[in-house]
Amino acid sequence: MDFHQLQQNFERIFQRKEEPRMFFAPGRINLIGEHTDYNGGHVFPASISFGTYALVLPREDRNLRFYSMNFPEVGVRSVSLDELDYKDSDQWTNYPKGMIKLWKENGSPTPFGADILYYGNIPNGAGLSSSASIELVTGVMLEGLYDTAMDRIQMIKLAQRVENEYIGVNSGIMDQFAIGMGKKDHAILLDCQSLTYEYAPIELDQHTIVIMNTNKRRELAGSKYNERRSECERALSDLQKKLSIQSLGDLTEEQFEAHKHFIQNDIDRKRAKHAIYENQRTIKALAELNAGNLEEFGALINASHRSLQQDYEVTGIELDTLVEAAWDQDGVLGARMTGAGFGGCAIAIVEKQLVSTFEKNVNETYQSKIGYVPTFYKASIHDGATELLNEGSL
Ligand code: GLA
């Protein structure tokens, strides 16, 4: 899909010939630091070249007309800027509606309506944050449409509230932050407690990042996700009876080992162990990467997967098969699931020259065990959400 095709679609759907403005927000992968964001720990994500495009033209009335090329069967949905409450029947448009509602409640202007066409090339249900991508592309689109700048961190927090309060998924801030603040060829080490962050160049020498989709949809992900969150919250409140800490991310491995018996429930203790060790692994991973110690960086990535499998229990047979098959290949520095888990995608850091052999072998192993094939994508690390000012950048 190129710029002209998107523009033609816009013209056909909305019957308008003026040239629309175009905005883009990427998806994300997370290199390491999984299920640590809502535990006050660190994450290490990067925004990718797959993402969501939004084309927009202003209207003279206060209506918003939405169309997604990914859901043509839904057709054009029309709502008023003054009636933006969540409705099941509004389907995918609840994401942009939620964003516009909170933009408005924030006191930002909404003087007129708009026609907006969305197109996303993030594989659906792959756990690469298509929903945060829609939220952020809507945010930058609103800035352009109404000629009003919003502080980027404020926009990121607004998008997280859309997810938490409007959609009802209790997710952390990682996805919106990675997509809002992404930088080409860099990952972001973010401390989710203080929101301090630093960019780290991703220099992998002879290696590249391969994204591997299990093609298992992340069903039940929402409810299991919220369950993990409550298990961690219970573990924290047990620990807080003895320790003065704000989040699990405040603890080192040694402090956890010395106090873990205060956590009443065995399951909660395992979940907390993952959150605390994973946070420390993430901090170490940045140090290893900066020092050019790629083997050690890869070993931390592998350890992250094991911990998500054994202690956090969010992997499942599909992700484990994919990651273990990746570990068995030549030229692989490390591999792990990425995102919430329960299906979705994994990443592997693979020697460039061996990528096609890698894909062939992993494909075979996965298909013979799972019964269908995975999909592989090459990830390039992209800038965060922005207006696209020239069509060459599509
Ligand atoms: C999802 C959530 C994030 C984060 C990850 C797990 O992507 O949206 O906030 O919790 O899962 O690391």
Side-chain angles (χ1 to χ4, degrees):
M1 191 72 56
D2 63 21
F3 176 75
H4 292 290
Q5 285 169 303
L6 287 178
Q7 207 181 340
Q8 276 164 10
N9 274 286
F10 189 96
E11 188 177 325
R12 179 176 57 84
I13 303 291
F14 294 118
Q15 295 292 306
R16 296 184 62 175
K17 289 200 183 305
E18 312 102 282
E19 184 166 321
R21 287 171 75 172
M22 181 158 71
F23 300 82
F24 175 76
R28 66 97 191 90
I29 52 172
N30 186 20
L31 296 174
I32 189 165
E34 215 65 84
H35 290 279
T36 45
D37 60 353
Y38 53 84
N39 284 310
H42 292 73
V43 292
F44 197 30
S47 50
I48 55 175
S49 43
F50 296 104
T52 314
Y53 297 85
L55 278 70
V56 68
L57 276 177
R59 292 175 59 83
E60 286 181 357
D61 58 18
R62 289 188 58 76
N63 286 338
L64 295 163
R65 289 197 296 168
F66 297 110
Y67 182 85
S68 167
M69 294 179 58
N70 299 81
F71 303 102
E73 69 285 0
V74 177
V76 175
R77 290 272 158 164
S78 191
V79 298
S80 157
L81 263 173
D82 301 308
E83 279 170 46
L84 293 170
D85 287 343
Y86 180 93
K87 272 200 213 124
D88 269 342
S89 59
D90 281 344
Q91 309 187 32
W92 72 272
T93 66
N94 280 308
Y95 290 94
K97 272 176 54 193
M99 199 64 198
I100 300 166
K101 182 164 196 263
L102 294 196
W103 163 278
K104 207 177 139 193
E105 284 173 8
N106 181 59
S108 302
T110 54
F112 45 79
D115 291 334
I116 316 161
L117 176 126
Y118 287 83
Y119 166 70
N121 56 11
I122 303 177
N124 200 1
L128 301 175
S129 288
S130 55
S131 62
S133 177
I134 297 179
E135 289 150 13
L136 267 301
V137 81
T138 304
V140 291
M141 183 276 293
L142 290 169
E143 288 187 312
L145 182 68
Y146 298 134
D147 196 18
T148 306
M150 179 179 268
D151 171 70
R152 190 49 68 97
I153 303 290
Q154 191 186 358
M155 186 188 290
I156 287 166
K157 289 183 177 167
L158 214 78
Q160 187 196 6
R161 283 180 49 214
V162 171
E163 209 67 58
N164 297 167
E165 296 167 19
Y166 192 86
I167 305 289
V169 180
N170 226 349
S171 51
I173 200 162
M174 171 172 74
D175 302 348
Q176 288 79 8
F177 200 97
I179 291 169
M181 298 294 286
K183 182 168 165 185
K184 189 171 165 43
D185 299 329
H186 289 71
I188 312 172
L189 186 86
L190 170 67
D191 175 340
C192 299
Q193 182 103 308
S194 62
L195 294 191
T196 50
Y197 62 94
E198 69 181 271
Y199 289 108
I202 296 302
E203 285 160 359
L204 299 171
D205 197 15
Q206 302 306 314
H207 300 82
T208 188
I209 301 171
V210 177
I211 303 179
M212 313 183 281
N213 191 347
T214 58
N215 288 326
K216 175 185 156 62
R217 282 190 58 88
R218 296 173 38 235
E219 287 139 18
L220 284 181
S223 59
K224 288 278 174 200
Y225 184 94
N226 289 347
E227 183 184 294
R228 290 295 176 283
R229 242 194 119 134
S230 345
E231 289 161 350
C232 287
E233 277 159 13
R234 244 181 356 238
L236 175 65
S237 81
D238 285 349
L239 289 169
Q240 280 171 330
K241 287 179 196 137
K242 300 288 168 187
L243 296 170
S244 143
I245 52 170
Q246 264 190 302
S247 71
L248 293 178
D250 288 343
L251 293 178
T252 61
E253 297 101 324
E254 294 73 27
Q255 289 166 324
F256 171 73
E257 293 302 333
H259 297 95
K260 63 184 181 189
H261 55 282
F262 294 121
I263 303 174
Q264 301 292 310
N265 175 304
D266 294 346
I267 303 251
D268 298 349
R269 198 175 311 117
K270 276 169 58 167
R271 307 298 191 236
K273 178 178 177 203
H274 166 78
I276 290 158
Y277 276 72
E278 179 76 355
N279 181 39
Q280 297 300 327
R281 267 193 292 273
T282 307
I283 298 168
K284 289 177 198 154
L286 175 71
E288 298 294 5
L289 191 66
N290 284 343
N293 299 332
L294 294 180
E295 297 281 336
E296 288 77 1
F297 179 64
L300 290 163
I301 285 184
N302 296 345
S304 164
H305 187 85
R306 279 286 182 238
S307 174
L308 287 154
Q309 176 188 25
Q310 293 166 358
D311 289 330
Y312 220 66
E313 299 181 271
V314 292
T315 57
I317 176 116
E318 296 83 1
L319 279 167
D320 291 337
T321 304
L322 206 51
V323 167
E324 284 162 17
W327 288 344
D328 284 345
Q329 306 308 313
D330 290 338
V332 173
L333 279 181
R336 60 180 288 277
M337 58 156 267
T338 192
F342 313 104
C345 283
I347 51 168
I349 304 180
V350 186
E351 207 174 303
K352 283 179 194 150
Q353 290 197 331
L354 297 175
V355 167
S356 49
T357 324
F358 168 88
E359 291 182 2
K360 182 173 159 291
N361 294 346
V362 172
N363 192 65
E364 265 171 34
T365 309
Y366 187 81
Q367 185 176 18
S368 69
K369 189 153 176 190
I370 304 296
Y372 51 85
V373 291
T375 313
F376 300 92
Y377 318 103
K378 308 260 173 326
S380 61
I381 300 182
H382 205 277
D383 282 332
T386 186
E387 179 163 17
L388 295 179
L389 292 172
N390 66 61
E391 38 195 271
S393 45
L394 184 58

